[in-house]
Amino acid sequence: MTNIEKRGASLRKLGLLALLLCLFFAVNAQNKPLYLDPKQPTKSRVKDLMDRMTLDMKIAQMCQYVGLEHMREAEKNISEQELLNGHARGFYKGLHSEGVERMVKQGVIGSFLHVLDVKEANHLQKLAEQSPLKIPLLLGIDAIHGNGLMSGSTIYPSPITMASTFAPSLIERSFRQTALEMRAVGMHWAFSPNIEVARDPRWGRVGESFGEDPFLVTQMGIASVRGLQMNIFDRDKSVLACIKHLTGGGIGNNGTNASPVEIGEGELRNVFLAPFKATIEKARPYSLMPAHNEINGVPCHANKWLMTDIVRNEYGFEGFIVSDWMDMESLSNKHKMTPTVKDAFQVAVDAGVDMHMHGPIFLDNIKELIAEGRLTEARINAACEKILEAKFILGLFENRYVDEKKINKTVFIKEHQQTALEIARKGVVLLKNKKQVLPLAAQRYHNILVVGPNMDNQAIMGDWVFEQPRANYKTLLDGIKSLAGTSKVHAVDVGWNLRQMNSDSIARSVKLASDMDLIVVALGEDSFRQHWKDKTAGENRDRMDLNLWGKQQYLVEELKKTGKPMVVVLINGRPLTTSWLEDHADAIVEAWEPGSLGGQAIAEVIFGKVNPSGKLPITIPRHVGQVPIYYYQKPSQYSHPFIDGNKDPLYPFGYGLSYTSFKYSNLSSAKDLKYGDSLKVTVEVQNTGELDGEEVVQLYLRDDFGLVTRPVKLLVGFERVFLKKGEKKSIKFTLGKEAFGFYDNRGKYTFEAGSFTLMAGGSSLNKDQIFQKVEVRE
């Protein structure tokens, strides 16, 4: 055979092989399920997959479990009673973690939480890929202000600190970065944001809220959801948001988490449901979580009126609803609503809950309820479809694993650190500055004492954070040393544990203070989750009092006796009653919980590298006896004063000092308006001080008279503005008709024509505002 003939034969063989390969791939393409084809529309993929699923498989998608390592750790350290009464640790009596692994391979688990290691995330997904239909797992985590339960993450300031910035675009950026860090370690679903309105500072979870005002909470909620989801999901960069908790947790009867709430429908809709309504309508969150508590006798996890009639049918919520930690079971064992847990499952699922957090008995009970005709398979289909849709939208069928080698390219990178630092800088609130002791001039003070339980520990990062690498965070002591110089800074460790502060160290610090030029004392509370048994704030750390915990008051009073200038830095997740500090400290800085780089931000404010501009998102009372206290009270709230104290708050909503000063003028708008037309409002703000600075311009509105009483004022707009020394700017707002309407005492949306008052200024106090009248007619 010639070379030409040989070459021709080879080409014929190659052609035949190519034809056989084409036929092979064509046959396989025909056999490949439609739901595994990423080119198909999501709805078609969901339908195709649902058609292949058994009832058990569908119910399995509604089942969530805690992670394997979490189970193994909890099995060693927790009793069954602690499991039932707590919200942090979980295991399953009679079910070993290896049994859970087998269940994943069988395809009877759809979701996990408390998976805190990327290796475990990949391991679980590998097990799920061995299941009959290869459905990936949805992994959720409490990423409240960064993915803080996983080591090495960027820890942004806590939500109450975020709210103090009055900068929604900055907060949206932080949640966008959080989503990226979550996806880099295999997480797909943030149990965040918390958009409850917090009006009772005794509640331990104030720090994970955005404060007391429904308008501010709404803007922060919308920003958070958009940051996590970016409106249209990016298959490998976005995560599901979960707005929570529906609703009323921030006003429990005695200030404790999950306690009952009694409230009229008008107040419920005007205040507590308002952030849910607006966030659903404007940001389209994909999941929602009901609250632990009951409202008017109906537990939220059983409240069909809330979850189905209002949230789904009225507000247009299209995602799925997940229960909070074993709160379906709580309908029976805590609320005493049903005689059995099985009955509780029936009530909750019928009311609108789509996924069970967490545990092994849900599937069999739901299957029995369907067989008994107490739940329909159509209800299960509706829940399953939404959960599967989320998995397709997130691209999990194509991209369920993460590359551990690439984590460092996304997690705790410089860009994310800078955002965390910027939020901390803008979130610090200067409460007092007697004789302008701040900013400090480093050359003026040769010896600075830094002391206090919160000067050098991870409480600076707040709740929902576990131990982080020491190189990844800066404490207050770190920050002061970096700016003042190590040789000038003297520190005494009095102990981080507020319950066990060291008396000998306190005495030593007081003695040393006599030789100092200045004292910086770090006080407050401890929300750090790693300190679970010793923490004094955060989840399930509600208080009867709001004073400084333990020996902190004694420490600060003894330091005051030295006569040296004293700057107090508060690191805490909720307002504290610190009237003594207001009377005796030279300066007070409310830093809240400023995150990974919080120590640097606080030091920059103290030394004048940053001009403070944070404003309070929640009222700070003088005494716990004033609670509840909030700025938008009704006109008759204080018609009779207290006989034993000042009725006014220690510091009002929207308050915060600067190293410069601002003047408001020329508040103007139309004097007459037809309801339904937009009202354009302008106000001029001038920096009248000696330094450049930022001001949060706040616009309030009062309905002057009404057959249904209205608050004395309500925040309806705000804008953060930078002004150079002497600079003046005109700030513009546009108010829609929703600013003038409200829900009456029967829950009906209404409008009353008449006189309204516009108020603009640097806080909610009348003395800080200028006024403008406007008539609004039918």
Side-chain angles (χ1 to χ4, degrees), residues 9 20 31 42 73 268 358 459 522 641 649:
L20 290 172
N31 293 334
T42 297
E73 186 65 26
L268 182 66
H358 58 95

Side-chain angles (χ1 to χ4, degrees), residues 248-409:
I251 54 165
N253 280 353
N254 53 10
T256 60
N257 200 30
S259 62
V261 171
E262 303 293 331
I263 189 172
E265 187 176 346
E267 184 81 345
L268 182 66
R269 286 179 173 272
N270 287 325
V271 178
F272 300 97
L273 286 176
F276 289 89
K277 181 178 188 295
T279 304
I280 288 169
E281 292 175 349
K282 296 180 180 179
R284 318 307 296 179
Y286 203 90
S287 69
L288 178 148
M289 184 183 291
H292 297 305
N293 53 278
E294 63 180 64
I295 294 181
N296 300 333
V298 182
C300 292
H301 277 73
N303 200 321
K304 195 169 187 175
W305 175 71
L306 271 181
M307 290 187 285
T308 300
D309 296 346
I310 293 182
V311 166
R312 284 201 185 279
N313 298 338
E314 186 178 329
Y315 297 170
F317 175 70
E318 296 178 343
F320 66 87
I321 296 176
V322 60
S323 74
D324 207 339
W325 187 276
M326 301 189 76
D327 270 340
M328 288 190 184
E329 288 87 339
S330 292
L331 298 180
S332 178
N333 56 43
K334 184 179 294 183
H335 295 287
K336 304 302 180 184
M337 186 181 190
T338 65
T340 69
V341 168
K342 178 178 173 179
D343 295 325
F345 288 156
Q346 186 274 325
V347 171
V349 172
D350 180 67
V353 181
D354 300 302
M355 183 184 287
H356 173 243
M357 180 196 288
H358 58 95
I361 64 172
F362 181 76
L363 192 151
D364 288 341
N365 276 280
I366 295 298
K367 195 172 179 181
E368 289 176 13
L369 288 166
I370 294 171
E372 294 165 7
R374 297 170 63 190
L375 284 175
T376 66
E377 190 167 351
R379 173 69 189 93
I380 304 308
N381 287 342
C384 182
E385 285 173 359
K386 286 298 178 183
I387 296 165
L388 292 176
E389 183 179 61
K391 294 181 178 184
F392 282 118
I393 290 173
L394 291 167
L396 300 186
F397 282 83
E398 295 76 49
N399 191 21
R400 71 181 74 205
Y401 302 109
V402 291
D403 187 343
E404 298 175 43
K405 297 178 182 178
K406 295 182 178 180
I407 292 175
N408 291 338
K409 295 181 179 180

Side-chain angles (χ1 to χ4, degrees), residues 649-773:
L650 186 60
Y651 306 106
F653 175 87
Y655 173 84
L657 301 176
S658 171
Y659 295 150
T660 189
S661 56
F662 301 96
K663 180 181 178 181
Y664 287 77
S665 61
N666 297 327
L667 175 61
S668 63
S669 72
K671 301 296 191 296
D672 182 78
L673 181 74
K674 182 179 179 181
Y675 177 66
D677 292 344
S678 296
L679 179 67
K680 298 188 182 302
V681 182
T682 60
V683 62
E684 292 184 346
V685 187
Q686 184 176 13
N687 183 341
T688 55
E690 297 301 315
L691 297 171
D692 297 347
E694 286 186 280
E695 170 71 330
V696 176
V697 180
Q698 301 162 47
L699 182 67
Y700 296 84
L701 182 71
R702 178 174 65 238
D703 188 344
D704 293 331
F705 304 97
L707 296 176
V708 176
T709 61
R710 303 288 291 128
V712 294
K713 62 182 65 177
L714 280 171
L715 184 70
V716 291
F718 59 83
E719 184 171 333
R720 175 177 278 270
V721 57
F722 174 80
L723 293 167
K724 293 182 179 180
K725 173 185 172 181
E727 186 179 8
K728 179 189 288 187
K729 286 184 180 179
S730 180
I731 309 300
K732 298 179 180 180
F733 299 95
T734 300
L735 302 184
K737 67 177 184 178
E738 66 276 1
F740 303 96
F742 64 98
Y743 291 91
D744 67 15
N745 58 315
R746 296 179 181 273
K748 180 182 178 182
Y749 193 77
T750 188
F751 163 74
E752 290 186 25
S755 172
F756 290 77
T757 301
L758 291 165
M759 296 156 273
S763 85
S764 61
L765 287 179
N766 286 342
K767 73 177 185 63
D768 293 335
Q769 298 176 334
I770 56 177
F771 302 83
Q772 162 78 31
K773 291 283 187 180

